[in-house]
Amino acid sequence: MTADSVAIFVSPHSFKEGKACLSRNISLNLPDKSDHMIKKTILLLALLIASYTYAQQVKIAGTVFDSQKQPLENVSVSPAYSRNSVVTDAKGEYSLSVRPGDSIKIIFSLLGYHQHQYIIPRLDKDIELDVAMDEDSRDLNVVTVEGQRTVTTVIERIDYLATRRTSSPWGSLESLLVTMGGVSANNELSSQYSVRGGNFDENIVYVNGLEIYRPLLVRSAQQEGLSFINPDMVRTVAFSAGGYSAEYGDKMSSVLDITYRKPAKFEGSASTGFLGGNIHVGNSSGHFSQITGIRYKTIRSLMNTTDTKAEYDPSFFDIQSYMTYDFSSKWEVGFLGNYSHNLYKYTPRTRSTSFGTLQILRNFTVHFDGQERDKFLTYQAALTLKGKINENLNIGITGSTFASDEQERYDIEGRYLLKEFDASGSEVTDDSSVLGIGTYMEHARNKVESEVYTFTHFGDFRLDNHLLKWGLTYQREKIKDKIKEWEMRDSAGYSLPYTGINANMYSNLKSDNRINSSRFSGFLQDTYRFNTEKGLFILNAGVRASYWSFNEEFIFSPRGALAFVPEGMDNFSVRLAGGIYYQAPFYKEFQRIADVDGNNVIELNKDIKSQKSVHIVLGSDYYFRGKDQTTPPFKLSGELYYKKMSDLIPYTVNNVKIRYSGENSSKGYAVGLDLKLYGEFIPGADSWVSFGIMKAQQDIQGVKVPLPTDRRYNFALFFQDYFPGYERLRMSLRGLFSQGLPVSAPHRGYEDGYFRTPAYKRVDIGFSWQILGESFAIRNKNSFCKAFKNIWLGLDVFNIFDMQNTNTYYWVSDVYNHQYAVPNYLTGRQVNVKLMAEF
């Protein structure tokens, strides 16, 4: 370049964006007389551009500490999806300059510590942000590449914070889980879910390494009460729909792994609404930390939207606490305790259900006498001591106990009339319109007491690129039951079933059993990471074994997974997982019904075997962005799976009651594809849509029928957004649409004939308005407001389109024992108002 030319490198969008960059080379030939003046003008212009750019930035500064209040050095601090980043100095201090604007997400990350993300709703001035980071003790089952977490195992991390914004009757974590790929549910009153053709009992749930048990006597969703998991206390949520590693126990379908958090400072929240309320408080003081949550739930308003008009007086209450004490920087003792007190009182009055088709309309009317009184008390506690022997070796021991006291008592009489209407909806006047008339009476005095004691040793050892994990467990089970229930039906003066000679009960069941058994189990697994020219590989392989004294059965379960991230393709990963998974029987599975002098009596089958399932799962994740490269990336995930099952125990499902045959008389398979598209439309708020197709079939002594949880298709949507320009008003939407489930006549198996319920379809929507926030000026002016971080007012509309979903059927018989299936509909449209506060 000569002295007679000046090179100017300016982006054509520099002035609009407020920044300069090397983008275009413009060469100007200038006269000698004006050369000096032009250079001055260009220099002045460059200074003005730089000044304008600097003036448009604000500063975020603060200090980063660890859980012991010690400053952390070399912590990366950056806005999400930006290359603009800084690191903390030796004092843990940082200063980050960013452009002002709408909400921004700041990410704090350091190897060996949990990543922290903070969302600033509106950034228009300098702020101070101090952060406390917790050590990360998780396994090497996740790879982070340039800020994106590339999934390299079948364990998926879930945004549990979204549960607070979920529009569902309970706002529980399970209500969010059923929108994931491969997971489905058909009862909004229950927290139970089905995964890839499995039933509720085939899902294992852990909280801080403690296996969670649920009441054994519950037969309907309205009795169920609260889920064990308290979302206010959760730190991380991990879920796998199959192909999980050997460290997880003996279940055939899925694993949900919850970790409760250790508060670094004082925190708390409270909420109340038409469906109940909850409060939680956490704090850290020196070596001690604790977080405690109390919840109360009621279903009175929801049940008023069903066909049965009744007096509902439920009372569902629980309290949980997680406490830790650090003896030193290497040793810690932790306590997790839960007490649940669920009372269900039900006095039905009348019921009127219309059903049928446009050509055949029917109405079922019942007038009731009697009541139901149920009580479910559960206790669960665990004491854990864990320590770091050195930088590579960690060990621990856990002692835990579970106890339940369950009682079910009801005497309900119903006088029913089943009539037929013509196509116009008018009642048929002749006698042929009466299809059934009669009386029934249901009686039960059921009681179950259970105790489970567990002692576990666990540990892990890091050696180069290997992570070895092991565990040994001894478990003692004591269960006793006393079941006495019967049902009598009378149709036009005849006791059913009508034989013409004797009057018999329609059904009855008796049980007086006790079991006192021991289980021994253990696992060993290794996670190995290695790089090649082709990319990064992560191999997880392990074995699990267990022995049960009741049937003297020993089972051996090898499992493995291989993940691959291609070189130069950080936005893509593929994984293959599989193994042998057993469903060890627990109380219900080995109960079989025997005929003793005309009565149905439950006996325990000591020849029962564990159900077996061989999993093969092929999955992949792909990250991509739209036209706007500054927006968060989308993620498309897919898993193709096949499960071959043997030694199955056939069962039927009625509401949430699973009745097993008590015999290993079936085999089957499940095959399907799950897809999920994930995106972040607003910072820190995840949205996704999932779709799955599946076929789950069993062979019962040569008769091929679908598994009771077979759904050929399943669609789910979870979406969050806020109104443009008014971030304080947010919306969440949850939609479910899936095929109906197979149904058989009462006291018969699916091999004797079945049909399907109508498709389950439901849309819930919720709105939340931020009344008070940390950045609101009123917090500095009012001492009462200063006590709160955030206050939200919520409005939920459940089942906004008032769709009728069928849960189960009530079967009505005439004197000739012809049966009519009357649908039991679930809840209709319901409005809920709630107030949430964080302090």
Side-chain angles (χ1 to χ4, degrees), residues 408 410 443-444 446 483-487 507-509 659:
E408 185 181 42
Y410 57 82
H443 166 91
N446 300 333
I483 305 297
K484 184 179 181 182
E485 60 183 56
W486 51 261
E487 180 181 0
S507 67
N508 70 337
L509 191 66
R659 175 68 67 188

Side-chain angles (χ1 to χ4, degrees), residues 415-430:
R415 296 175 297 279
Y416 67 85
L417 174 65
L418 179 63
K419 300 197 70 174
E420 188 174 50
F421 291 75
D422 60 26
S424 65
S426 302
E427 183 178 345
V428 179
T429 56
D430 57 35

Side-chain angles (χ1 to χ4, degrees), residues 213 216 401-406 447-454 474-481 513-519 548-550 586-587 590 604:
Y213 297 91
L216 302 172
T401 180
F402 166 80
S404 70
D405 181 3
E406 308 171 37
K447 183 178 178 64
V448 173
E449 295 179 355
S450 57
E451 299 176 7
V452 180
Y453 303 95
T454 306
Y474 169 74
Q475 180 170 298
R476 188 73 176 174
E477 302 163 358
K478 298 180 180 180
I479 303 174
K480 61 179 181 179
D481 66 14
N513 292 307
R514 286 168 173 77
I515 180 173
N516 194 334
S517 63
S518 297
R519 298 180 195 260
W548 188 27
S549 64
F550 179 79
F586 184 80
Y587 178 66
F590 55 93
L604 304 182

Side-chain angles (χ1 to χ4, degrees), residues 134 245 310 318 382 577 733 737 768 822 836:
D134 299 323
S245 59
D318 86 334
L733 179 73
F737 179 64
S768 54
V822 181
M836 301 165 286

Side-chain angles (χ1 to χ4, degrees), residues 266-283:
F266 178 80
E267 63 174 66
S269 70
S271 67
T272 184
F274 293 162
L275 300 179
N278 56 275
I279 184 172
H280 100 275
V281 176
N283 73 291

Side-chain angles (χ1 to χ4, degrees), residues 657-678:
K657 181 72 172 181
I658 299 177
R659 175 68 67 188
Y660 291 90
S661 68
E663 301 278 356
N664 298 101
S665 59
S666 176
K667 61 182 179 180
Y669 68 90
V671 60
L673 172 67
D674 292 325
L675 299 173
K676 178 181 174 184
L677 178 62
Y678 164 101

